[in-house]
Structures are given as C-alpha cells and as structure tokens.
Amino acid sequence: MTKLSVNINKFATLRNSRGGNNPDVVKAAIDAQKFGADGVTVHPRPDERHIRYNDVREIKKIITTEFNIEGNCREQKFVDLVLEVSPQQVTLVPDALGQITSNHGWDTIANKNYLIDMVKVFKNAGIRVSIFVDPIIAMVEGAVETGTDRIELYTEQYATEYLKDQAKAVAPYVLAAQRAEQLGIGLNAGHDLDLHNLKYFKQNIPWIDEVSIGHALVCDAIYLGYQNTVQMYKRQLL
C-alpha cells in the first residue's frame, strides 16, 4: 500500500501572511492524521516563510503516524533540528537559499562523498533517509551508493507532461523506479502530484512506498473540504 504524507507547509504560509495562529498548523497536522493521512511532511527553510522551526518541534509532540522532515542538509540549523526532533524520515533536498520551491534533485554523482557523510549522520541517529532525485537512472544509481534508504522522485516534470501525453510523461519515472527496485532501495515521490495525475502515476508504479503532497491538496481542500480531500487522495492510491 502506498502511503499518503500530507505536506502542511501551505497552512503555515497562510498563517504567516496575517500573523497570529490562524490557521493553526499543529491542528492541521492533527487533522491530517485524523482524516486518514499516513503521515505528515514539513519543509522548514532558513527564512521560516512557512513552517517555522518551532512548528516542527510542536508537531513532533502530537504525531501519531509518520513524520517526514524535508530540507537542505547543507544548512547546519536544519541538521540540528532533525537530530533534535528525530522524525521517522528525513528527505534531503538540494534547495538554494531563497528558493520558492524545490525544482531539482541532487546530482548524486558529483555530491556522492558529501551525501555519504550526511546519510550516515541521520542513519546513525535512527532516522530513515530519502534523497530527492530527478528520474534519471544514473542519479538513482548514484543515490544507492550513498547508503540512503530511499529516493524521492521529483515529479514536477511528470505533472507538466501529463497534460500533453500521459504515457510519455510517466515513462522515465517507471524506468527510474524499476532501477530503484532492482537495486533494493525504497521509493517515494512528490511535487505537483494532484487528483488528476496521481492515480495514473500509481497505476504505472504500483510498488511506490509513499507520496508527499501539499500545495495541490491544500488548494483542493479550500473547495472540497480538508477531510474529504485527504480521503479523495487516499482513494487515488488504492
């Protein structure tokens, strides 16, 4: 069964735009779980423009499912936070400072030695590690050599191409996923997956472990309701 992890960053973006604590980000995490999500994802950035570091600490206190923290491990503050909070999973993303959203995976070949060291830091603390990669066979193979437990396929390209040619859009992801399976590492996916393209992605890669979805899910929740939306996404993964 593919797990759904709800990324609640956008709840924090809305809260921060007005000040105060509305919407309550911790309640958003509690409700995601109550409504059927298998996990909660957050992606704190140094400028705290959405999820704040203290949000992460507060969410840890109430988590009953899986907690996934995404971020750039080149930021020591991020590394320290993950080791302090000790989530079930950390997803290493090569964001630049000030980047609006994640837009590429790691070059796991050029950064191999660095990633080996960082994977060890988190695995020694008992935290499962996933590395964000593009759907390129060489990058998957490079990720395996770092000792990571999983990769997360960056799916923006799939979401864009899906509107033009579904089979062509998913093809490189199937190949990358097959290679990951052959090499014995777990598989996650995320970025721009939504109610239109998620089912087809899962049908073509049925062994995927987890998808992390935030922006589209929160947008859908505005019109469809939060509980209903979480359950609708879960049904796409059956």
Side-chain angles (χ1 to χ4, degrees), residues 12-13 16 45-52 98-101:
T13 301
N16 296 352
R45 287 183 166 89
D47 59 8
E48 297 192 324
R49 64 179 181 271
H50 35 64
I51 288 291
R52 298 168 182 156
Q99 193 167 310
I100 294 175
T101 187

Side-chain angles (χ1 to χ4, degrees), residues 219-238:
C219 289
D220 288 331
I222 293 172
Y223 290 96
L224 304 173
Y226 192 18
Q227 180 173 3
N228 184 42
T229 298
V230 171
Q231 293 174 0
M232 289 176 71
Y233 274 86
K234 286 280 290 182
R235 287 197 291 272
Q236 306 307 305
L237 297 170
L238 295 176

Side-chain angles (χ1 to χ4, degrees), residues 124-221:
N124 286 343
I127 301 168
R128 186 174 71 237
V129 181
S130 179
I131 293 179
F132 202 59
V133 299
D134 296 309
I136 300 169
I137 297 297
M139 294 301 106
V140 175
E141 294 172 341
V144 171
E145 294 184 10
T146 69
T148 189
D149 301 291
R150 294 185 183 181
I151 57 168
E152 178 173 332
L153 292 176
Y154 170 52
T155 50
E156 181 181 19
Q157 179 187 350
Y158 164 73
T160 301
E161 296 298 321
Y162 178 86
L163 301 173
K164 307 170 188 175
D165 185 330
Q166 296 177 12
K168 183 179 179 181
V170 81
Y173 291 87
V174 172
L175 293 175
Q178 288 173 339
R179 188 61 178 138
E181 185 180 37
Q182 291 167 358
L183 294 169
I185 59 170
L187 184 67
N188 298 340
H191 208 92
D192 288 349
L193 295 173
D194 60 26
L195 288 174
H196 303 289
N197 60 40
L198 178 58
K199 189 176 186 69
Y200 186 76
F201 192 83
K202 167 63 191 278
Q203 287 173 339
N204 282 273
I205 311 174
W207 62 91
I208 192 165
D209 292 299
E210 177 183 292
V211 294
S212 174
I213 304 177
H215 182 79
L217 189 150
V218 174
C219 289
D220 288 331

